[in-house]
Amino acid sequence: MPKVTIDNRTVDIPEGTTILEAARLAGVSIPTLCYLEGVQTMGACRVCLVEIEGAKNLVASCVTPVSDGMKVNTKSRRVRNARRTVVELLLSDHEGDCRTCDRSGSCELQSLAEDLGIREIHHQGEKHAAVTDYTTPALVRDTGKCILCRRCVSVCNEIQGVGALFPQDRGFDTVVGPAFSKSLDEVVCVQCGQCSAVCPVGAISEKDEVQEVWGVLDDPEKFVVVQTAPAIRAALGECFGYPPGTLVTGKMVRALRLLGFDRVFDTEFAADLTIMEEGTELLVRLKKALVEKEEVALPQFTSCCPAWIKYVEHFHPELLANISSCKSPQQMFGAVTKTYFADQIGKRPEDITVVSIMPCTAKKYENKRPEMYDSSVQDVDIVLTTRELGRLIKESGIDFTLLDEDVMDDPLGRCSTGAADVFANTGGVMEAALRTAYEIVTGEPLPFDGLHIEPIAGLDGVKEAEVRITKTVPEWAFLKGKTLKVAVAHGLANAKRVIRKIQSGESRYHFVEVMACPGGCIGGGGQPRFTTNEIRKKRIDAIYKEDEKKTLRKSHENPEVIRLYEEFLGEPLGERSHHLLHTSYDARSRV
Amino acid sequence: MSGAIKTDAADETREKTLDPETLSRLDEVLGEYRSKPGALIPVLQIAQGMIGYLPEVVLKRISVGLGKPYSEVAGVVGFYSFFTTMPRGTHLVRVCLGTACYVRGGKQVLDALKDELGIDVGETTPDGEFSLEVGRCFGACGLAPTIMIDDDVLQRVKPSRIRGILDVYRENDKGE
Ligand code: SF4
Ligand code: SF4
Ligand code: SF4
Ligand code: FES
C-alpha cells in the first residue's frame, strides 16, 4: 500500500486512490466544486488544487492518483493563492446577484467565496450572455449563473440516461444546455430535476410557484386544500437546520395550518389507494395470463413517477402497455378531493384549490398533463417542492423550530398506513404493493421480517426479490406454488438496464418498480440541497421509522380507503375508479 | 451563437427536399457504425460529405441511429469548426483572423463582409450565393489582411473594397 503524507499526516492509502479521497481518509478536507461523488470526477473547475512536493505545477486532487512517498500540501500559500484565483475567476464570469438568488445560503460557489475570504474580485473579464429559459413547467435555467462544472451533464447523461444537457459550442462561447442551445421544452427532458439537485449554483432550479400559493391563500373566496407527499416529512426539517433524517410531520402540519390552508390532507391516503388499484391490476394481469391464457403485458411497471412515465413515452413506447394505468398518488388525490370530498362539503370541483407539496419537480409537469382533468377541472392546481414549502414558511415569518405538533385532517389525512410512508423511497412502492397483494392472495401477512423486503431495500441501483406463494385463499388458487419475481430500479439509467435484461430475455419479472431519482422520492429533484448517499440513507431510515410507528401498516387496512370504496368508488378497477384514478399514455418522439 | 441552428422557413424546405436515396445511404452508414466506439465524428464527416452540410433532420437521425443523445451530437457539431449546420452558398468567403491579419485590420474586413452580406459567421445569404467563415492562416501574412473566396486568395483587402470584390463574383454568376 502506498504511504502518502498529506499536510504532515502520513497514511497508508490503497493504490489508485485519488489525492482527494486520500485526504478525506486522512481527515483533511479539500474544497471541491465540479467533483460529484460517485458520479463525476473530471478536473474541470480546478478548485481542488494541491501542491505535491517536488512537482512543478499544482494538480487537481480529484483526478490525481496518489503514489508511494508522495508528500501533499493542501494549505500552502501557493495553494491558497491559486485556489482563490480560480474562485475569483469563476465569480468574475458569474452573472448572478446573491441578494436575490434562490440559492443564496445553499450555494456552493457562495460558500467557497466565503470560506476563501474573498472580499474583492480582481479580474474583471467579459461576461457570458445570460439566457433564462422558462419554457418547461418544472425548471428554470439561467445560463448567466452557470459555471460550467458539468455536474448536470453527468447526472442527466449517466444517472438518468436522458442526455438533455451537454456543453454546446466552444471556447468562451461554451454553454451547458440542450442541443444547439435550444430551450428545454424543445428537446427530450423528463423534468426529473436531478440537474437542479446537483447544480452547485442557481443555474438550474425548480420553477418557483410560491407566489401563486400566496395568491390562493390570500383570497378569502378560495377553499384551499393541501396534500403533502410522504418524502416531505423526512426532509423539510433540513430547510430549517435540522439534521437530515429528522421527522417533522407534526410541525409541518402545524405550519400548513398557520399558513391558512383550509384542510391539511395527506398524499399518503392516495398512496394507499394507489396500492389498492395497482395491486389489483397486477393480480388481474396475472390471472389473465395464467388462467385465461390471454396476451397481457407483463411485467407490470409502476406508474407513480411522472419522470419515469415521460421517459418511457420517449424512449420505450413499446412498453407503454406494461405501465400500470394507475395515476400517481398526487393525481389520485386531486381527482378524489375534487369529487368525493367536494360532495361531502357541498362544493363544486371549481370551488376547491388543491396544492401539493412534493419532493419532485416532475410533478409540476404532471399536474398540467391534459389527462389530469378528470374532476372536470384541473385536478391538482399548484405543486410546490419541499424547497418552496421551506421558503413559503420562512416568508410567512413562522419560526418552524418553535412550532407544536399537529395532526392532519379527516377524511383524507388522518388515516394513513405505514405502507404509504414507504412510497417515499426506492423499493417502497413494491414493498407496499406486496404487503397488500400477498395478503389478498394468501390471507397471511408478507413473510418478511418487520414486513420489510430486505433484498429490495437499500441503495443498490437494481434490486431483485422473489416471493414464493405456498398457499392461497380459494379465489387465487391458480397462484399456488408460483414464485412472484420482482425488480426495483432507481435512476433512469438503471431502469434502462432492467429493460435491457427483460428485452434480451435474460430476466423475467412480474412486477417492476421504477423511480427516476436516485434513492427514490426522498432524493427527489425538489428536495433540500445538497443530497448525498449518506443523506439519502438518513431520510430512508426516518421513513422506515414513520412506517414502523403506525398501527396500520398495510394499505388495504386503511379504514378511510375502505369507506371511500364503500361510499363512492365501488371496487378497485371499477367504473368510477377507472374514470378518476387511471390514465393513459402516449408515445413521444425520441429526439 | 455561432452554432445555433436556424430553423427559418427556407431551411425547413431545404431539409424536406433531402432525397430518400441520401437518407437510405445515411441509414446504411449508421447501421455500419452503430456498434463501433467513437463513431460519432466519422459519421458526421461522412454525412457532411454526402449532403454538404448537417441539417437538423440528419443530426436527429444520427442521434437515434447511434443511440447518442441529441445534445451530444449538437455539442460535437458546435465544437469542431469544420462541421456546418447551414447549406454552403455558391461561394465560400473565408476571412483570415490569424495574428498578422487580425492586427492589420482583419476584424474590420470581417465586419464589412458581415454588413455587406447581411449574415453572421457560419451563415449563408438568403439567395444562397455566399457563405461566410473565419479561417486560419492562408500563408500570405506579408500581405495581410487576406481573405479567400473559393480558391482565390485576396490580399491587402480594405473594408471599403469589399463590395467591389463581391460584385465581381455576382456579375460572373449572372453571366453564366
Ligand atoms: S430534468 Fe432530468 S432529464 Fe431534464 S435536463 Fe434535468 S436531469 Fe435531464
Ligand atoms: S447548470 Fe449548474 S450543474 Fe450544470 S454546468 Fe452549469 S453550474 Fe454546473
Ligand atoms: S422519483 Fe419521485 S421525486 Fe423523483 S421524479 Fe419520480 S416521483 Fe418525482
Ligand atoms: S473539484 Fe477537482 S477539478 Fe473540480
Coordinates of all heavy atoms in Angstrom, one line a residue, chain B residues 112-154:
Chain B
A112 N -17.0 44.4 -42.3 CA -17.5 44.9 -43.6 C -18.3 43.8 -44.4 O -19.3 44.0 -45.0 CB -16.4 45.5 -44.4
L113 N -17.7 42.6 -44.3 CA -18.3 41.5 -45.0 C -19.7 41.1 -44.4 O -20.7 40.9 -45.1 CB -17.4 40.2 -45.0 CG -16.4 40.2 -46.1 CD1 -15.3 39.2 -45.8 CD2 -17.0 39.8 -47.4
K114 N -19.7 41.1 -43.1 CA -21.0 40.8 -42.4 C -22.0 41.9 -42.8 O -23.2 41.5 -43.1 CB -20.8 40.9 -40.9 CG -20.1 39.7 -40.3 CD -20.2 39.8 -38.8 CE -19.3 38.9 -38.1 NZ -19.1 39.2 -36.7
D115 N -21.6 43.1 -42.8 CA -22.6 44.2 -43.2 C -23.0 44.0 -44.6 O -24.2 44.1 -44.9 CB -21.9 45.6 -43.1 CG -21.9 46.0 -41.7 OD1 -22.6 45.4 -40.9 OD2 -21.2 47.1 -41.4
E116 N -22.1 43.8 -45.5 CA -22.4 43.8 -46.9 C -23.3 42.6 -47.2 O -24.3 42.7 -48.0 CB -21.1 43.7 -47.8 CG -21.3 43.4 -49.3 CD -22.0 44.6 -50.0 OE1 -22.0 45.7 -49.5 OE2 -22.6 44.3 -51.0
L117 N -23.0 41.4 -46.6 CA -23.8 40.2 -46.9 C -25.0 40.1 -46.0 O -25.9 39.3 -46.3 CB -22.9 39.0 -46.7 CG -21.7 38.9 -47.7 CD1 -20.8 37.7 -47.3 CD2 -22.2 38.7 -49.1
G118 N -25.0 40.8 -44.9 CA -26.2 40.7 -44.0 C -26.2 39.4 -43.3 O -27.3 39.0 -42.9
I119 N -25.1 38.8 -43.1 CA -25.1 37.5 -42.4 C -24.0 37.5 -41.4 O -23.1 38.3 -41.4 CB -25.0 36.3 -43.3 CG1 -23.7 36.4 -44.2 CG2 -26.2 36.1 -44.2 CD1 -23.4 35.2 -45.0
D120 N -24.0 36.5 -40.5 CA -23.0 36.3 -39.5 C -22.1 35.2 -39.9 O -22.4 34.5 -40.9 CB -23.7 35.9 -38.1 CG -23.0 36.6 -37.0 OD1 -21.8 36.9 -37.1 OD2 -23.7 36.9 -36.0
V121 N -21.0 35.0 -39.2 CA -20.1 33.9 -39.5 C -20.8 32.6 -39.3 O -21.6 32.4 -38.4 CB -18.9 34.0 -38.5 CG1 -18.0 32.7 -38.7 CG2 -18.1 35.2 -38.7
G122 N -20.6 31.7 -40.3 CA -21.3 30.4 -40.3 C -22.6 30.4 -41.0 O -23.3 29.4 -41.0
E123 N -23.0 31.6 -41.5 CA -24.3 31.6 -42.2 C -24.2 31.8 -43.7 O -23.1 32.0 -44.2 CB -25.1 32.8 -41.7 CG -25.5 32.6 -40.2 CD -26.3 33.7 -39.6 OE1 -26.6 34.7 -40.4 OE2 -26.7 33.6 -38.5
T124 N -25.3 31.6 -44.4 CA -25.3 31.7 -45.8 C -26.3 32.8 -46.2 O -27.4 32.9 -45.6 CB -25.7 30.4 -46.5 OG1 -24.7 29.4 -46.1 CG2 -25.8 30.4 -48.0
T125 N -26.1 33.6 -47.2 CA -27.0 34.6 -47.6 C -28.3 33.9 -48.1 O -28.3 32.8 -48.6 CB -26.5 35.5 -48.8 OG1 -26.0 34.6 -49.8 CG2 -25.3 36.3 -48.3
P126 N -29.5 34.6 -47.9 CA -30.7 34.0 -48.3 C -30.8 33.6 -49.8 O -31.5 32.6 -50.1 CB -31.7 35.1 -48.0 CG -31.1 36.0 -47.0 CD -29.6 35.9 -47.3
D127 N -30.1 34.3 -50.6 CA -30.1 33.9 -52.1 C -29.2 32.7 -52.3 O -29.1 32.3 -53.5 CB -29.8 35.1 -53.0 CG -28.4 35.6 -52.7 OD1 -27.6 35.0 -51.9 OD2 -28.0 36.7 -53.3
G128 N -28.5 32.2 -51.3 CA -27.7 31.0 -51.5 C -26.3 31.3 -52.2 O -25.7 30.4 -52.6
E129 N -26.0 32.6 -52.3 CA -24.8 32.9 -53.1 C -23.5 32.8 -52.3 O -22.5 32.2 -52.7 CB -24.9 34.3 -53.7 CG -23.8 34.6 -54.7 CD -24.2 35.4 -55.9 OE1 -25.2 36.1 -55.7 OE2 -23.5 35.3 -56.9
F130 N -23.5 33.4 -51.1 CA -22.2 33.4 -50.3 C -22.4 32.8 -48.9 O -23.5 33.0 -48.3 CB -21.8 34.9 -50.1 CG -21.4 35.6 -51.3 CD1 -22.3 36.5 -51.9 CD2 -20.2 35.4 -51.9 CE1 -21.9 37.2 -53.1 CE2 -19.8 36.1 -53.1 CZ -20.7 36.9 -53.7
S131 N -21.4 32.1 -48.5 CA -21.3 31.7 -47.1 C -20.1 32.4 -46.5 O -19.1 32.6 -47.2 CB -21.1 30.2 -46.9 OG -22.2 29.5 -47.5
L132 N -20.2 32.7 -45.2 CA -19.1 33.4 -44.6 C -18.5 32.6 -43.4 O -19.2 32.1 -42.6 CB -19.7 34.7 -44.0 CG -18.7 35.7 -43.3 CD1 -17.6 36.1 -44.3 CD2 -19.4 36.9 -42.8
E133 N -17.2 32.5 -43.5 CA -16.5 31.7 -42.4 C -15.2 32.4 -42.0 O -14.7 33.3 -42.8 CB -16.2 30.3 -42.8 CG -17.4 29.4 -42.6 CD -17.2 28.0 -43.0 OE1 -16.1 27.6 -43.2 OE2 -18.3 27.3 -43.1
V134 N -14.7 32.0 -40.9 CA -13.4 32.6 -40.4 C -12.4 31.5 -40.6 O -12.7 30.3 -40.4 CB -13.5 33.0 -38.9 CG1 -12.1 33.2 -38.4 CG2 -14.4 34.2 -38.8
G135 N -11.2 31.9 -41.2 CA -10.2 30.8 -41.4 C -9.0 31.0 -40.6 O -8.8 32.0 -39.9
R136 N -8.1 30.0 -40.7 CA -6.8 30.1 -40.2 C -5.9 30.7 -41.2 O -6.3 31.0 -42.4 CB -6.3 28.7 -39.7 CG -6.7 28.5 -38.2 CD -6.3 27.1 -37.8 NE -7.4 26.2 -38.2 CZ -7.3 25.0 -38.7 NH1 -6.1 24.6 -39.0 NH2 -8.3 24.2 -39.0
C137 N -4.6 30.8 -40.9 CA -3.7 31.5 -41.8 C -3.7 30.9 -43.3 O -3.7 29.7 -43.4 CB -2.3 31.3 -41.2 SG -1.0 32.2 -42.2
F138 N -3.7 31.7 -44.3 CA -3.7 31.3 -45.7 C -2.3 31.3 -46.2 O -2.1 31.2 -47.4 CB -4.7 32.1 -46.5 CG -6.1 32.2 -46.0 CD1 -6.8 33.4 -46.2 CD2 -6.7 31.1 -45.4 CE1 -8.1 33.4 -45.7 CE2 -8.0 31.2 -44.9 CZ -8.7 32.3 -45.1
G139 N -1.3 31.6 -45.4 CA 0.1 31.6 -45.8 C 0.4 32.9 -46.6 O 1.3 32.9 -47.5
A140 N -0.3 34.0 -46.3 CA 0.1 35.2 -47.1 C 0.2 36.4 -46.1 O -0.2 37.5 -46.4 CB -1.0 35.5 -48.1
C141 N 0.8 36.1 -45.0 CA 0.8 37.1 -43.9 C 1.5 38.4 -44.3 O 1.1 39.5 -43.8 CB 1.6 36.5 -42.7 SG 0.9 34.9 -42.2
G142 N 2.5 38.3 -45.2 CA 3.2 39.5 -45.6 C 2.2 40.5 -46.2 O 2.5 41.7 -46.2
L143 N 1.1 40.0 -46.7 CA 0.2 40.9 -47.4 C -1.1 41.0 -46.7 O -2.2 41.0 -47.4 CB 0.1 40.5 -48.9 CG 1.4 40.5 -49.7 CD1 1.3 39.8 -51.0 CD2 1.9 42.0 -49.9
A144 N -1.1 40.9 -45.4 CA -2.3 40.9 -44.6 C -3.0 42.3 -44.7 O -2.4 43.3 -45.0 CB -1.9 40.6 -43.2
P145 N -4.3 42.3 -44.5 CA -5.2 41.2 -44.2 C -5.6 40.5 -45.5 O -5.8 41.1 -46.5 CB -6.4 41.8 -43.6 CG -6.4 43.2 -44.1 CD -5.0 43.6 -44.4
T146 N -5.8 39.2 -45.3 CA -6.2 38.4 -46.5 C -7.6 37.8 -46.3 O -8.0 37.5 -45.2 CB -5.2 37.3 -46.8 OG1 -5.2 36.4 -45.7 CG2 -3.9 37.8 -47.1
I147 N -8.3 37.5 -47.4 CA -9.5 36.7 -47.4 C -9.4 35.7 -48.6 O -8.6 35.9 -49.5 CB -10.8 37.6 -47.6 CG1 -10.9 38.2 -49.0 CG2 -10.9 38.6 -46.5 CD1 -12.3 38.8 -49.2
M148 N -10.1 34.7 -48.5 CA -10.2 33.7 -49.5 C -11.6 33.6 -50.0 O -12.5 33.4 -49.2 CB -9.8 32.3 -49.0 CG -8.4 31.9 -49.4 SD -8.0 30.2 -48.8 CE -8.1 29.3 -50.3
I149 N -11.8 33.7 -51.3 CA -13.1 33.4 -51.9 C -13.0 32.2 -52.8 O -12.2 32.2 -53.7 CB -13.7 34.6 -52.6 CG1 -13.8 35.8 -51.7 CG2 -15.1 34.2 -53.2 CD1 -14.4 37.0 -52.3
D150 N -13.6 31.1 -52.4 CA -13.4 29.8 -53.0 C -11.9 29.5 -53.0 O -11.3 29.4 -51.9 CB -14.0 29.8 -54.4 CG -15.5 30.1 -54.4 OD1 -16.1 29.8 -53.3 OD2 -16.1 30.6 -55.3
D151 N -11.2 29.4 -54.2 CA -9.8 29.1 -54.2 C -8.9 30.4 -54.4 O -7.7 30.3 -54.4 CB -9.5 28.1 -55.2 CG -10.1 26.7 -54.9 OD1 -10.2 26.4 -53.7 OD2 -10.5 26.0 -55.8
D152 N -9.6 31.5 -54.5 CA -8.8 32.7 -54.8 C -8.4 33.4 -53.4 O -9.2 33.6 -52.6 CB -9.6 33.8 -55.5 CG -10.3 33.2 -56.7 OD1 -9.8 32.2 -57.3 OD2 -11.4 33.7 -57.1
V153 N -7.1 33.7 -53.3 CA -6.6 34.4 -52.1 C -6.5 35.9 -52.5 O -5.9 36.2 -53.5 CB -5.2 33.9 -51.7 CG1 -4.7 34.7 -50.5 CG2 -5.3 32.4 -51.3
L154 N -7.2 36.7 -51.7 CA -7.2 38.1 -52.0 C -6.4 38.8 -50.9 O -6.7 38.6 -49.7 CB -8.6 38.7 -52.1 CG -9.5 37.9 -53.0 CD1 -10.9 38.4 -52.9 CD2 -9.0 38.1 -54.5

